[in-house]
Amino acid sequence: MSETSALRATSATESRLVGVTSALATVFIWAGWLIATRYAMTSSFTAVDIGLLRFVVPFVLLAPIWLKKGIWPKGLSIANGLLMLVGSGAFYTLMVASALKFVPASHVGILLPGVMAVWAVLIAVVMFGERPGKLRLTGYGAVIVGVLSLVALKPAGEVSSDMLLGYGLVSAGAFMWACYTHAMRQSGLGALEAAAFVGFWSFVIMAIIAVFTGTTLADAPVGDVMMLLTAQGLLAGCVAVITYGLAVRHIGSTGASAFGAMTPALTALGGVILLGEQGNLALALAVVLVILGVMIASGVFRKVRV
């Protein structure tokens, strides 16, 4: 092997290592965000508290970006901007946080990416005329079966009206995120630009809501507030944006999506170990089916086969 070839091989290996490490970091942050939110919603915090802590950090840390680009970036349409704000900003956070008051983090970790994948393809079919192939449809079918198994395999007495409400809120949140995904692709914004845009307006919206609803942050334990600031604002709001971008750059969107499919397993594991949530056959089956379905739908196996 020539020196040039060796350098190229080393560079490719290092690039892939950066991509894999970044993807793993992103997945752990996503799972940690759900676990931290569930903990907060079952203690003394409200959804508004979580929203404030979630967006104050990107509002401050990404200020140089929104100050430079403007609070409404040039060229961003009203429609795409509103969809991005609704889909991943204050209202999305309120929706998911409210769901986590009624549904275990282990369930939300399965439902959110699974239902989002189904909503995303439905939007693509209806709005953009996309026609997914049989392999992708098989993946979406596995996701649907996995999601339904969470309820279908549970004893009737364990499925309460509150839990069904929580499932509905998660499904609505998943739809909002699917809308954000398509709007983000159409917006022309980079990942950090989008995070700064959403962070600015979401914090403003949360601050306005807090004026009318109040907040319990002043009475909350300082340790819990700092934990949520780190998990919600710093890691989920800023770091994950950077690490996911690095993952896409170094291992491609398909590879990054494949690692993202690990979120249900990590969230379920964290929910059982850290929060004492119940683990059972229905949960394990749902995790396997949703992970497999998302990976198939993302085109990972098709790419490997080629």
Side-chain angles (χ1 to χ4, degrees):
M1 180 182 293
S2 67
E3 184 177 350
T4 302
S5 298
L7 288 173
R8 288 177 179 173
T10 301
S11 178
T13 300
E14 291 176 350
S15 177
R16 181 165 183 79
L17 181 61
V18 170
V20 170
T21 303
S22 299
L24 287 173
T26 305
V27 172
F28 274 98
I29 290 172
W30 286 346
W33 173 72
L34 289 172
I35 294 168
T37 304
R38 170 64 174 177
Y39 168 77
M41 289 302 295
T42 53
S43 56
S44 60
F45 294 92
T46 67
V48 174
D49 296 333
I50 292 172
L52 286 170
L53 295 173
R54 167 68 177 80
F55 293 109
V56 66
V57 178
F59 176 86
V60 174
L61 291 186
L62 300 180
I65 297 176
W66 56 259
L67 286 171
K68 179 180 179 181
K69 299 290 184 178
I71 59 175
W72 197 281
K74 185 178 180 181
L76 178 64
S77 69
I78 298 296
N80 279 334
L82 290 177
L83 283 175
M84 289 174 65
L85 289 176
V86 172
S88 71
F91 301 109
Y92 167 80
T93 299
L94 290 173
M95 188 75 70
V96 175
S98 298
L100 281 160
K101 184 175 182 179
F102 306 111
V103 182
S106 53
H107 288 207
V108 177
I110 295 167
L111 289 165
L112 200 57
V115 177
M116 189 279 289
V118 175
W119 276 125
V121 73
L122 288 175
I123 293 172
V125 168
V126 174
M127 300 298 297
F128 306 108
E130 184 176 316
R131 293 293 179 265
K134 293 181 179 179
L135 187 62
R136 288 183 64 192
L137 289 175
T138 300
Y140 294 122
V143 168
I144 293 172
V145 173
V147 167
L148 292 177
S149 70
L150 277 177
V151 178
L153 296 182
K154 290 178 73 68
E158 293 185 14
V159 182
S160 65
S161 58
D162 283 347
M163 182 171 286
L164 291 177
L165 172 61
Y167 287 158
L169 292 173
V170 175
S171 299
F175 174 74
M176 294 163 74
W177 188 266
C179 291
Y180 165 78
T181 301
H182 287 292
M184 173 64 183
R185 290 173 181 171
Q186 301 289 325
S187 70
L189 297 180
L192 281 177
E193 290 176 313
F197 167 70
V198 172
F200 173 85
W201 284 108
S202 294
F203 180 70
V204 171
I205 292 170
M206 290 308 312
I208 294 173
I209 293 174
V211 169
F212 293 96
T213 64
T215 174
T216 65
L217 290 177
D219 301 320
V222 175
D224 285 355
V225 172
M226 295 306 297
M227 180 273 291
L228 289 172
L229 273 174
T230 302
Q232 298 277 345
L234 180 61
L235 295 179
C238 297
V239 176
V241 175
I242 297 172
T243 55
Y244 188 72
L246 287 171
V248 171
R249 181 185 304 171
H250 289 279
I251 60 176
S253 58
T254 300
S257 298
F259 277 95
M262 294 170 55
T263 304
L266 289 174
T267 308
L269 188 62
V272 171
I273 295 175
L274 300 176
L275 302 178
E277 297 177 354
Q278 182 181 6
N280 51 37
L281 178 61
L283 182 66
L285 179 62
V287 167
V288 171
L289 287 174
V290 169
I291 289 177
L292 187 63
V294 171
M295 291 183 71
I296 293 173
S298 69
V300 173
F301 296 120
R302 182 175 65 251
K303 185 175 181 179
V304 171
R305 184 179 62 186
V306 173

